[in-house]
Amino acid sequence: MAGLAAAAVSPTAMAIAGTRAPAGSEGRYLAVATAGLTVALFTGVPLGSWAGHTWGWRSTFLLIALVSVVVTALSALMTPRVPGNDPTPLRARLRPVRNWQVLSLVLAMFLCGAGGLTFYNFLGATVEGHLGSSTSAVTWTLLMVGIVGIAAVFGGGALVDARGPRAGRLLIVGGHAIALLAIGLYLVVGGGFGVPFLLLVAAWSLFAWALGPAMQASIIGVDPSSALLSAALGISGLYGGAGVGAALGGVLIYHLGAVALPLAGSTLVAGAWLLSARRETA
């Protein structure tokens, strides 16, 4: 039930941001909405853990409920009013599902989620287990990923506005694949934990977290009249890929070791680039 409620929020926020943005500013507006999700990843987990350790695990759920009440009140006061669409049959509402341009971008988001999260989910295990570094090194590495990620979200939005959704997504997805490949090769040649590794991870984070605005702007732009469903499909693809990436990463690190994680992720993201390269048609 919590998942169903949360799943309704993200696509609604993306659709409002994408459709209410002035022409030429869609990327920046979507970046603000995406930044909320990105910041939540790096603040919600430690905050929830702290609350659970301090007051017991039930307090984490109470904290979420309290924040949700506050957000509900603020949304009622601050969310822009967006006119609803005319009543349409279910077949018409499912039109984006039958649109290959939308589905190819959703599949690209799926592959990006699977590729990026195959590596990210086990970044701590890679730093501490494979590279033999300390727990504090894991903490600082993840903090760096978060800081770069927040900047990357806004950078991705600005890139989309300046170059257009297609050019923006090709640069971002291509950079994502190359960064993962570079990390994999670094691990293959026996590189250790240090500045070179951190720079490679920072480069990966730059492209990985810039993905959201570019892909969502592309998906919404295919059929703005179905923006809500299209945005929902995009986020579903990304989260579905994240789940697959977590499972795939677990199998790979168990059987082949941490070196296989970024290499497999790069292959998946390269597939996403091929799907993203298709030009939109009217």
Side-chain angles (χ1 to χ4, degrees), residues 115-211:
L117 272 297
T118 292
F119 172 68
Y120 178 68
N121 281 328
F122 297 93
L123 179 56
T126 300
V127 170
E128 193 170 3
H130 180 77
L131 298 178
S133 196
S134 63
T135 303
S136 62
V138 175
T139 301
W140 286 108
T141 302
L142 294 176
L143 178 62
M144 179 198 68
V145 169
I147 293 173
V148 174
I150 293 171
V153 169
F154 292 100
L159 178 64
V160 169
D161 290 339
R163 301 288 298 276
R166 183 176 183 273
R169 70 177 183 259
L170 287 179
L171 177 60
I172 291 169
V173 177
H176 191 176
I178 293 171
L180 283 172
L181 178 61
I183 294 172
L185 294 177
Y186 180 81
L187 296 179
V188 166
V189 300
F193 183 83
V195 173
F197 177 77
L198 291 174
L199 289 176
L200 289 173
V201 172
W204 163 78
S205 182
L206 181 67
F207 291 108
W209 297 110
L211 176 75

Side-chain angles (χ1 to χ4, degrees), residues 18-229:
T19 56
R20 297 285 289 180
S25 299
E26 293 86 355
R28 281 174 287 176
Y29 275 60
L30 284 165
V32 172
T34 305
L37 294 172
T38 305
V39 172
L41 286 173
F42 305 114
T43 58
V45 173
L47 181 61
S49 299
W50 172 78
H53 285 299
T54 304
W55 296 302
W57 64 268
R58 292 176 179 82
S59 65
T60 301
F61 291 93
L62 294 174
L63 177 63
I64 294 171
L66 177 61
V67 171
S68 298
V69 169
V70 173
V71 170
T72 300
L74 291 175
S75 297
L77 295 172
M78 301 174 64
T79 302
R81 296 188 177 276
V82 178
N85 296 326
D86 295 331
T88 54
L90 180 61
R91 179 179 178 83
R93 290 184 179 276
L94 295 179
R95 183 176 59 200
V97 179
R98 303 190 301 272
N99 188 329
W100 170 243
Q101 293 183 70
V102 173
L103 288 182
S104 63
L105 293 172
V106 171
L107 182 56
M109 290 190 74
F110 174 87
L111 292 175
C112 284
L117 272 297
T118 292
F119 172 68
Y120 178 68
N121 281 328
F122 297 93
L123 179 56
T126 300
V127 170
E128 193 170 3
H130 180 77
L131 298 178
S133 196
S134 63
T135 303
S136 62
V138 175
T139 301
W140 286 108
T141 302
L142 294 176
L143 178 62
M144 179 198 68
V145 169
I147 293 173
V148 174
I150 293 171
V153 169
F154 292 100
L159 178 64
V160 169
D161 290 339
R163 301 288 298 276
R166 183 176 183 273
R169 70 177 183 259
L170 287 179
L171 177 60
I172 291 169
V173 177
H176 191 176
I178 293 171
L180 283 172
L181 178 61
I183 294 172
L185 294 177
Y186 180 81
L187 296 179
V188 166
V189 300
F193 183 83
V195 173
F197 177 77
L198 291 174
L199 289 176
L200 289 173
V201 172
W204 163 78
S205 182
L206 181 67
F207 291 108
W209 297 110
L211 176 75
M215 296 303 292
Q216 288 291 60
S218 298
I219 291 174
I220 292 174
V222 172
D223 187 3
S225 65
S226 301
L228 181 57
L229 182 55

